[in-house]
Amino acid sequence: MITAVTTFRLPKPITREEARSIFLSTAPLYRDVPGLFRKTYVLSEDGMTAGGIYFWNSRGEAEALYTDAWRARAREKYGADPTVTYFESPVVVDNVAEMISSDDE
């Protein structure tokens, strides 16, 4: 599994309510994206950084999303260029499913 973290350093702070509105406007775009099984939107306490934490089946599927068009849409929405950082996620604790999984399974 791959975890991708995107961040946007905003030109000015936004409130939780503003962030929620923006996030809800883009959330439908992530429904049925191949390989993406969860996205969590995030906002820093000071309102200056927004982003997302994406959980992917593979790096290739993740990279297929983060295109120039995706970056342009993000820049338009947030007024900032996004950064994307990839992490290997070899072990996952899922308290909802009551399980621990690893990529060897």
Side-chain angles (χ1 to χ4, degrees):
M1 181 174 75
I2 296 295
T3 301
V5 178
T6 63
T7 56
F8 308 87
R9 185 75 181 150
L10 304 174
K12 62 184 176 89
I14 61 174
T15 65
R16 183 183 188 283
E17 293 73 28
E18 290 169 322
R20 184 177 181 278
S21 177
I22 294 168
F23 297 163
L24 284 171
S25 76
T26 62
L29 300 173
Y30 297 96
R31 302 276 309 206
D32 302 319
V33 171
L36 177 65
F37 59 91
R38 177 167 290 174
K39 176 183 179 179
T40 301
Y41 287 86
V42 294
L43 177 68
S44 64
E45 286 186 29
D46 67 1
M48 288 298 300
T49 303
I53 302 170
Y54 301 72
F55 300 94
W56 295 94
N57 289 321
S58 72
R59 171 101 182 223
E61 290 167 317
E63 289 175 341
L65 176 70
Y66 307 122
T67 62
D68 288 342
W70 176 87
R71 290 177 183 282
R73 187 172 56 247
R75 191 176 311 109
E76 180 181 319
K77 189 63 86 170
Y78 295 100
D81 288 319
T83 62
V84 180
T85 306
Y86 298 96
F87 297 90
E88 291 284 338
S89 303
V91 176
V92 175
V93 177
D94 187 331
N95 288 328
V96 174
E98 299 180 343
M99 62 185 290
I100 297 172
S101 59
S102 74
D103 58 6
D104 291 339
E105 296 176 347

